[in-house]
């Protein structure tokens, strides 16, 4: 008997077994009722062996065997958690075998790669979603509703700080793999400004700083950015690999402001501080399994033949902005940009809540940064 869409589970291969895949993604399948983890792809035999035992996974593949995984008939979708510079290749190869793709952000390292990924998905009629987990997270989606409903008046200013200490040797500090503050943490600030303003920037300016530590020999230590939006709205943020762990944003309107603490965190509580006409109210959002929400949402898009909201176009826009920001750093000049229009934006209707993962798994041949 063939299962109906209501009964069927989308079968996933997780490609790349770094710290985030191990700590956040693999444990979350237990909360994703329409999704099933069936395969792992990694060149680290120890990771594959130990994690397959831990999660009861029968099928493991090396990167050389990726094509075998795609054509095995065992998987419907891949979750790509590889270094940034490999996202395009592994997405296109999956799409060409009619396998759906959930790809971590940043989507890729260039606009051309993003466009190739979108084309491959379209040509093969498969779903492509970029893993913007905050598009399904309650605190961020409620922030969207507060701004949209004009509780703080007309939104005028977005400001954010996203900083952490990244130790020497971490892949985020390598240029060849698509590292750097803008691709890794700045993308969260860019995306938040876009979903809160519900618009696209028209001009950008950025300055990078580096005090010369060996660990920052290939990428910038920190970057400060100004994004000009239509109707003369400004978004500013600073991201850093050399600061204490801070993850917050504030959006200021003509009648009040909203501050979100731990705004970009993938686990733990998030907090709102909403001030209107001088009166502040605090709201706490409990910890939830954000990765399970992603798998549930993407699997539902596949089962119901719906287009994911955090689409390839969403990923492409952020990458195009990041490339413009690096051009600004290089030229020391503002850069005017023209991004694609977005007809879909995240709203509170996308909120998915599942209980948090109960325990933090021991990492195998992987080291986590201070926050993400």
């Amino acid at each position: 008997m063939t299962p109906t869409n209501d009964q069927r589970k989308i079968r996933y291969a997780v490609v790349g077994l770094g710290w985030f895949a191990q700590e956040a993604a693999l444990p979350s399948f237990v909360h994703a009722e329409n999704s099933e983890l069936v395969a792992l792809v990694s060149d680290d035999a120890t990771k594959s062996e130990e994690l397959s035992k831990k999660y009861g996974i029968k099928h493991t593949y090396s990167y050389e065997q990726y094509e075998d995984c795609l054509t095995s008939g065992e998987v419907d979708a891949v979750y790509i958690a590889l270094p940034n510079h490999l996202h395009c290749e592994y997405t296109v190869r999956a799409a060409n075998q009619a396998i759906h793709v959930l790809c971590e952000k940043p989507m890729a390292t260039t606009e051309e790669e993003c466009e190739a990924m979108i084309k491959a998905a379209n040509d093969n009629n498969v779903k492509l979603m970029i893993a913007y987990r905050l598009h399904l997270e309650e605190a961020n989606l409620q922030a969207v509703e507060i701004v949209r409903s004009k509780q703080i008046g007309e939104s005028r200013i977005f400001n954010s700080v996203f900083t952490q200490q990244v130790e020497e040797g971490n892949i985020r500090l390598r240029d060849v793999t698509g590292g750097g503050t803008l691709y890794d943490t700045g993308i969260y600030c860019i995306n938040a400004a876009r979903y809160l303003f519900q618009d696209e920037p028209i001009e950008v300016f950025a300055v990078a700083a580096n005090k010369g530590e060996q660990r920052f020999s290939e990428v910038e230590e920190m970057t400060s950015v100004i994004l000009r939006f239509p109707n003369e709205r400004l978004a500013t943020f600073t991201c850093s690999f050399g600061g204490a762990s801070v993850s917050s944003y504030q959006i200021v309107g003509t009648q009040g402001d909203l501050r979100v603490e731990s705004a970009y965190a993938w686990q733990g509580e998030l907090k709102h501080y909403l001030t209107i006409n001088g009166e502040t109210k605090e709201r706490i959002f409990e910890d939830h399994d954000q990765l399970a929400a992603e798998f549930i949402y993407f699997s539902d898009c596949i089962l119901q033949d719906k287009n994911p909201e955090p689409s390839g176009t969403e990923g492409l826009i952020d990458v195009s902005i990041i490339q413009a920001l690096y051009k600004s750093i290089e030229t020391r000049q503002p850069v005017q940009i023209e991004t694609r229009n977005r007809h879909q934006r995240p709203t509170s209707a996308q909120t998915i809540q599942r209980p948090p993962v109960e325990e933090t798994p021991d990492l195998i041949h992987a080291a986590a940064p201070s926050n993400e």
Side-chain angles (χ1 to χ4, degrees):
M1 179 177 176
T2 302
T4 66
N5 278 353
D6 290 336
Q7 299 169 318
R8 184 179 164 221
K9 290 187 176 185
I10 298 301
R11 302 166 299 167
Y12 284 82
V14 171
V15 185
L17 299 175
W19 80 269
F20 192 70
Q22 290 188 42
E23 192 168 317
L26 299 182
S28 72
F29 279 94
V30 70
H31 295 143
E33 61 274 5
N34 61 358
S35 310
E36 182 180 8
L37 176 60
V38 299
L40 301 175
V41 182
S42 173
D43 267 354
D44 189 316
T46 302
K47 287 181 182 179
S48 295
E49 181 180 355
E50 293 191 24
L51 292 169
S52 62
K53 286 179 182 177
K54 179 178 177 66
Y55 294 102
I57 300 164
K58 295 179 181 178
H59 309 292
T60 62
Y61 300 89
S62 67
Y63 294 130
E64 282 190 359
Q65 297 169 320
Y66 184 53
E67 215 69 24
D68 296 335
C69 173
L70 298 173
T71 59
S72 65
E74 297 155 1
V75 303
D76 306 302
V78 291
Y79 168 65
I80 295 178
L82 293 164
N84 300 338
H85 71 298
L86 298 174
H87 288 183
C88 178
E89 176 193 345
Y90 279 77
T91 293
V92 169
R93 289 172 66 185
N96 286 341
Q97 296 297 345
I99 300 296
H100 304 285
V101 179
L102 173 59
C103 181
E104 266 302 339
K105 60 200 171 305
M107 181 177 180
T109 58
T110 67
E111 292 178 73
E112 292 76 18
E113 287 183 336
C114 294
E115 288 165 351
M117 295 161 74
I118 293 169
K119 183 178 186 301
N122 290 339
D123 288 350
N124 293 283
N125 195 30
V126 301
K127 305 297 182 190
L128 170 61
M129 174 173 153
I130 310 305
Y132 287 101
R133 52 185 168 73
L134 300 181
H135 288 214
L136 307 168
E137 191 280 316
E138 184 182 18
N140 280 275
L141 294 178
Q142 285 301 311
V144 169
E145 298 302 335
I146 287 168
V147 174
R148 287 181 60 185
S149 63
K150 296 190 181 297
Q151 291 182 50
I152 59 172
E154 179 191 353
S155 58
R156 301 292 299 149
I157 299 164
F158 170 92
N159 183 48
S160 183
V161 175
F162 192 9
T163 58
Q164 59 187 293
Q165 286 287 349
V166 178
E167 294 181 359
E168 189 168 356
N170 191 291
I171 197 169
R172 299 165 179 226
L173 300 175
R174 296 194 62 199
D175 179 59
V176 69
T177 57
T181 55
L182 290 176
Y183 281 113
D184 187 75
T185 52
I187 191 170
Y188 286 88
C189 309
I190 294 165
N191 200 256
R194 292 177 50 237
Y195 61 66
L196 290 166
F197 279 150
Q198 302 271 290
D199 215 337
E200 307 300 344
I202 56 176
E203 185 180 38
V204 306
F205 181 70
V207 176
N210 188 333
K211 63 179 181 180
E213 290 184 46
Q214 175 60 34
R215 58 179 165 152
F216 304 124
S217 61
E218 294 186 32
V219 302
E220 67 282 354
E221 176 191 346
M222 58 184 173
T223 308
S224 286
V225 167
I226 302 172
L227 308 174
R228 185 188 300 276
F229 282 79
N231 301 319
E232 289 300 293
R233 294 167 293 173
L234 295 177
T236 63
F237 68 84
T238 297
C239 51
S240 172
F241 285 160
S245 294
V246 177
S247 168
S248 65
Y249 64 69
Q250 182 180 31
I251 186 156
V252 181
T254 53
Q255 297 172 11
D257 73 275
L258 172 67
R259 182 162 54 91
V260 183
E261 289 291 343
S262 301
Y264 310 118
W266 66 272
Q267 61 180 351
E269 291 181 346
L270 279 73
K271 293 183 179 180
H272 277 194
Y273 299 91
L274 176 61
T275 303
I276 301 174
N277 296 324
E279 182 180 342
T280 301
K281 294 181 179 179
E282 179 181 336
R283 181 179 177 185
I284 296 175
F285 296 83
E286 294 182 357
D287 187 11
H288 289 103
D289 188 337
Q290 296 183 21
L291 274 289
E294 284 188 325
F295 293 125
I296 291 166
Y297 177 83
F298 188 52
S299 293
D300 186 62
C301 287
I302 296 168
L303 292 167
Q304 305 299 327
D305 192 23
K306 298 185 296 187
N307 293 323
E309 178 274 313
S311 63
T313 300
E314 181 75 355
L316 168 61
I317 290 172
D318 278 345
V319 170
S320 69
I321 293 167
I322 289 169
Q323 288 200 283
L325 288 168
Y326 278 119
K327 181 179 179 182
S328 177
I329 291 169
E330 184 181 349
T331 62
R332 302 191 175 191
Q333 296 292 326
V335 175
Q336 292 188 338
I337 57 174
E338 191 172 321
T339 59
R340 293 156 177 78
N341 290 325
R342 285 286 282 137
H343 302 296
Q344 283 183 296
R345 302 277 182 186
T347 71
S348 59
Q350 290 180 192
T351 304
I352 296 176
Q353 297 178 343
R354 291 297 182 273
V357 174
E358 292 183 358
E359 60 182 66
T360 301
D362 293 330
L363 297 179
I364 302 166
H365 295 178
S370 55
N371 68 341
E372 197 266 354

